[in-house]
Amino acid sequence: MVIDRAGRRAGFAVVVLAYGLAGLAAWGAAVAVGGAPPLVVTLVADLAATVVVFLASVVVANASLYDPYWSVAPPVIVVAWVVWQGGLTGRQVALLVVVFAWAVRLTANWAVSWRGLAHEDWRYVRLRDQRPSWLPFWVVSLTGIQLMPTLVVFAGLLPVWPAVTVTGRPWGLLDAAAVLVGLGAVVIEGVADRQMRRFTRDPANHGRVNDRGLWRCSRHPNYLGEITFWWAMWLFALAAAPNWWWTVAGPAVMVLLFVFVSVPLMDRRSLERRPGYAGYMRRVPPLLPFPVRPGA
């Protein structure tokens, strides 16, 4: 694969500019609704930033401009909540370490994979090609590609709010579990992405199924790691404020997204491109690793 380095640099420059403007828009929106409850202020600012990124994606005709938002916005939001609460507790430090480890790794993985403004995620290309002729793509992009993930991630962050703002409970076993689960999730994602990148870069593997390493036990170990990270956020909330148990809705939404949207979409894509994938699906579970079934 030939990499257009000049195109990549130009693309990253556009991303930096767009996200800088998005940050300014978020700050302005937060100031405008400053009298509202903090969660409402955060959501309004989050949506304002998303709209700016969307407008930038329309200008450059590439919906993938939104892709890093998934991992860039959460640490900004978490830091804002920590600053709003005032002070810095051990639980907040631990949570920030886990969130930043996840965000840096995931953003770096996107940066390595993205080839510039000429490269748009195949899922967005398919949505553009398969949408009804009467439906403008910008509507699909704004609602399905950008606003929906922003709302899903905000739901996933709900447990973080009590975790960083309720400070009366001391550090305990649940906090330790949250750290181990969160960092373990980051490791799982990192190893899975590295194994897949190494596999796909080998020309001999063209059209073949990666059933090595973590991919031997789970068809989507990277998604499993991502889901696990959001459950770690809930463990932090449970450690800080057990009465906020209902924020389990955050990781639950993530499970629904990956189980009913992401996994089926990737499986269909692989079935189209890899003749051996049907047998792989019969042998290997989609997410949680179980003993691999022989044959099939």
Side-chain angles (χ1 to χ4, degrees):
M1 179 181 64
V2 178
I3 298 177
D4 180 1
R5 298 190 183 280
R8 272 172 57 85
R9 286 194 295 268
F12 286 128
V14 170
V15 169
V16 170
L17 175 61
Y19 279 63
L21 294 174
L24 290 175
W27 176 79
V31 171
V33 296
L39 281 176
V40 174
V41 173
T42 308
L43 178 59
V44 171
D46 199 10
L47 292 174
T50 300
V51 170
V52 171
V53 173
F54 159 72
L55 293 174
S57 74
V58 172
V59 171
V60 300
N62 190 324
S64 281
L65 208 68
Y66 175 84
D67 288 350
Y69 195 88
W70 180 284
S71 55
V72 169
V76 175
I77 291 172
V78 174
V79 168
W81 286 347
V82 169
V83 171
W84 179 87
Q85 188 275 334
L88 197 61
T89 66
R91 179 176 293 118
Q92 291 173 346
V93 171
L95 190 147
L96 285 169
V97 168
V98 174
V99 168
F100 271 86
W102 166 82
V104 169
R105 192 219 66 84
L106 193 56
T107 306
N109 186 66
W110 164 81
V112 168
S113 304
W114 195 50
R115 299 192 295 276
L117 294 177
H119 175 208
E120 189 173 35
D121 190 288
W122 64 268
R123 289 165 292 192
Y124 309 157
V125 174
R126 178 170 292 188
L127 282 172
R128 180 182 283 108
D129 293 341
Q130 295 183 352
R131 76 187 193 285
S133 58
W134 53 265
L135 182 62
F137 179 68
W138 70 264
V139 175
V140 176
S141 179
L142 175 61
T143 57
I145 296 175
Q146 312 208 25
L147 285 179
M148 187 274 287
T150 289
L151 293 173
V152 168
V153 169
F154 191 82
L157 286 172
L158 284 177
V160 177
W161 172 254
V164 300
T165 59
V166 180
T167 59
R169 293 176 65 88
W171 177 277
L173 290 177
L174 270 178
D175 294 288
V179 172
L180 291 175
V181 171
L183 293 180
V186 174
V187 171
I188 290 172
E189 286 188 281
V191 171
D193 285 338
R194 191 177 304 110
Q195 289 176 343
M196 180 57 77
R197 189 176 298 113
R198 186 183 303 122
F199 180 86
T200 55
R201 284 178 176 174
D202 186 348
N205 293 325
H206 180 71
R208 297 176 59 190
V209 176
N210 182 12
D211 57 359
R212 308 169 188 174
L214 296 180
W215 301 85
R216 177 176 175 79
C217 305
S218 170
R219 295 203 304 273
H220 306 280
N222 51 340
Y223 290 167
L224 176 60
E226 183 69 12
I227 291 170
T228 304
F229 166 80
W230 295 102
W231 280 105
M233 298 299 100
W234 183 67
L235 289 177
F236 275 117
L238 209 57
N243 58 316
W244 283 72
W245 62 267
W246 58 269
T247 58
V248 71
V253 167
M254 288 292 176
V255 171
L256 293 175
L257 172 69
F258 283 99
V259 169
F260 293 105
V261 179
S262 299
V263 166
L265 193 62
M266 292 302 294
D267 280 345
R268 285 197 297 271
R269 168 77 165 176
S270 295
L271 283 169
E272 295 170 359
R273 302 173 67 229
R274 297 179 174 86
Y277 198 79
Y280 177 65
M281 287 182 67
R282 289 191 292 270
R283 296 193 308 272
V284 180
L287 289 168
L288 292 175
F290 295 110
V292 179
R293 296 186 289 274

